[in-house]
Amino acid sequence: MEKILQQLLEGQNKLFENQDKKSKKLDLIEQAVLINNDRLNNIDSKLAKNTSFISALSQDVARTATKNSINRLDTKIDLINNKLFQTEQISHY
């Protein structure tokens, strides 16, 4: 009878040890999840900042491209006007 009780106690102790090990593993997993959540929040924050920066940069590039396009059009219009003016000058002679 004592032997059976001793085996039951040993089995119970092993169960408690296993439960403690599982509890510690679960705590480690929870800590890892919290750390990963912090990392993801940091990444989200950096991504939002980068997206905002890229958007602003894209708008600047678009404005610059538009200004350059307008300058090129102005140059072409000036050339056309000069040619027309020269043509009119030649036809008047």
Side-chain angles (χ1 to χ4, degrees):
M1 185 76 147
E2 280 183 43
K3 212 173 193 183
I4 293 173
L5 284 174
Q6 180 139 1
Q7 287 177 345
L8 285 173
L9 286 173
E10 287 174 6
Q12 188 178 17
N13 285 338
K14 285 182 183 178
L15 285 174
F16 286 133
E17 286 174 12
N18 285 339
Q19 188 174 0
D20 284 344
K21 287 180 184 178
K22 287 180 182 178
S23 180
K24 288 178 183 178
K25 284 182 182 180
L26 182 59
D27 287 343
L28 290 173
I29 290 171
E30 287 174 344
Q31 288 175 357
V33 167
L34 290 174
I35 290 169
N36 284 334
N37 282 342
D38 286 344
R39 287 179 181 166
L40 285 174
N41 287 337
N42 287 338
I43 290 170
D44 283 345
S45 175
K46 288 177 183 178
L47 180 62
K49 287 178 185 176
N50 287 344
T51 301
S52 176
F53 175 75
I54 289 170
S55 176
L57 185 60
S58 295
Q59 290 174 2
D60 285 345
V61 167
R63 280 190 209 111
T64 302
T66 302
K67 287 179 184 177
N68 288 340
S69 298
I70 290 170
N71 287 338
R72 283 195 305 267
L73 283 174
D74 282 344
T75 303
K76 289 179 181 179
I77 290 170
D78 284 343
L79 285 172
I80 292 170
N81 282 336
N82 285 336
K83 285 183 182 182
L84 284 172
F85 181 73
Q86 287 174 359
T87 305
E88 287 178 7
Q89 290 296 326
I90 293 173
S91 63
H92 285 294
Y93 290 114

